[in-house]
Amino acid sequence: AQSVAQPEDQVNVAEGNPLTVKCTYSVSGNPYLFWYVQYPNRGLQFLLKYITGDNLVKGSYGFEAEFNKSQTSFHLKKPSALVSDSALYFCAVRVPSGSARQLTFGSGTQLTVLP
Amino acid sequence: DAGVIQSPRHEVTEMGQEVTLRCKPISGHNSLFWYRQTMMRGLELLIYFNNNVPIDDSGMPEDRFSAKMPNASFSTLKIQPSEPRDSAVYFCASSPFAQGLLGGEAFFGQGTRLTVV
């Protein structure tokens, strides 16, 4: 069975500082990894994904994530946080041969950027 | 494109009533998903369709739940009869790729907040 863990329910960071939202995964085989963001009263928005290739993936709104196979991690990062980045962030994982049911979401991390 | 469109945005109904949630996927997307989000269980996949055909409905919690996709531009999720424990935010999402074949990301609607009293 595959799983994804977001160890932090809440992350607070000052505006202008770098931010990291952590994600670790457990799958059999090579994973597809995704990050989504959810603003209040909105659906999830796709940020970025790792399928294959370069371990550093760049996505929307200046976010990036680094795939680390040895540590089974896919942490989301941004060099300089904005107040508008405050939202709920979800990591998700799936194996290429799996079904849609095997797109497993983490429990989410609430990011608050303080002005 | 307007994105995935769900209606209604909010629904309050009494226990025992029938509830129908609606979804219009992004044009050209051939996969459609219904998710449920609650604080206790997070995001759960209820059912997904590929080319209008239900592929996996094992996430549908009970026989009270049913979903249809009569054509490529419309899907419904019906709960009959509704119960208070069905209260949640229900999301519809669509994808341009059949899940399991490629790493296609899903595009989500804004959700329907269902409250069963």
Side-chain angles (χ1 to χ4, degrees):
Chain A
Q2 63 187 50
S3 64
V4 58
Q6 294 181 242
E8 300 160 316
D9 292 335
Q10 174 83 37
V11 170
N12 296 326
V13 64
E15 186 175 28
N17 283 1
L19 70 86
T20 299
V21 183
K22 296 179 181 178
C23 172
T24 59
Y25 65 89
S26 174
V27 299
S28 299
N30 295 319
Y32 288 168
L33 293 155
F34 303 81
W35 274 102
Y36 286 84
V37 59
Q38 184 178 27
Y39 297 99
N41 301 314
R42 302 293 297 274
L44 277 69
Q45 297 179 30
F46 169 77
L47 275 180
L48 51 79
K49 66 181 177 183
Y50 171 82
I51 303 299
T52 188
D54 194 346
N55 289 345
L56 183 63
V57 178
K58 294 188 182 297
S60 307
Y61 312 120
F63 284 93
E64 59 188 28
E66 186 169 12
F67 171 62
N68 188 318
K69 189 172 184 178
S70 63
Q71 296 185 3
T72 62
S73 67
F74 189 57
H75 301 330
L76 181 69
K77 299 181 180 183
K78 187 173 182 180
S80 178
L82 301 172
V83 173
S84 57
D85 293 330
S86 299
L88 187 58
Y89 290 81
F90 290 94
C91 180
V93 64
R94 176 161 53 83
V95 293
S97 58
S99 70
R101 175 147 315 285
Q102 292 179 322
L103 179 60
T104 303
F105 284 87
S107 55
T109 298
Q110 180 66 48
L111 172 68
T112 301
V113 181
L114 305 169
Chain B
D1 198 313
V4 176
I5 300 173
Q6 291 186 246
S7 63
R9 290 293 309 279
H10 302 274
E11 177 78 38
V12 180
T13 190
E14 292 184 346
M15 182 175 64
Q17 296 298 306
E18 176 180 296
V19 175
T20 299
L21 312 181
R22 297 173 175 80
C23 174
K24 182 181 187 311
I26 294 173
S27 177
H29 286 191
N30 63 348
S31 295
L32 183 140
F33 313 87
W34 282 100
Y35 285 89
R36 179 172 67 176
Q37 186 180 36
T38 61
M39 289 293 292
M40 292 297 294
R41 301 173 68 90
L43 269 167
E44 303 172 277
L45 178 63
L46 301 178
I47 185 171
Y48 85 97
F49 296 83
N50 191 40
N51 293 325
N52 311 339
V53 176
I55 302 301
D56 183 350
D57 65 355
S58 58
M60 297 285 263
E62 300 173 32
D63 291 344
R64 298 184 295 105
F65 286 69
S66 62
K68 294 182 179 180
M69 192 167 186
N71 56 62
S73 59
F74 185 65
S75 177
T76 59
L77 177 68
K78 185 178 293 186
I79 308 173
Q80 167 63 19
S82 58
E83 297 183 2
R85 59 195 170 114
D86 301 330
S87 297
V89 181
Y90 291 81
F91 289 105
C92 175
S94 69
S95 170
F97 304 106
Q99 290 271 320
L101 296 179
L102 294 171
E105 62 271 22
F107 295 79
F108 284 73
Q110 291 186 302
T112 295
R113 182 175 296 277
L114 174 65
T115 303
V116 183
V117 298

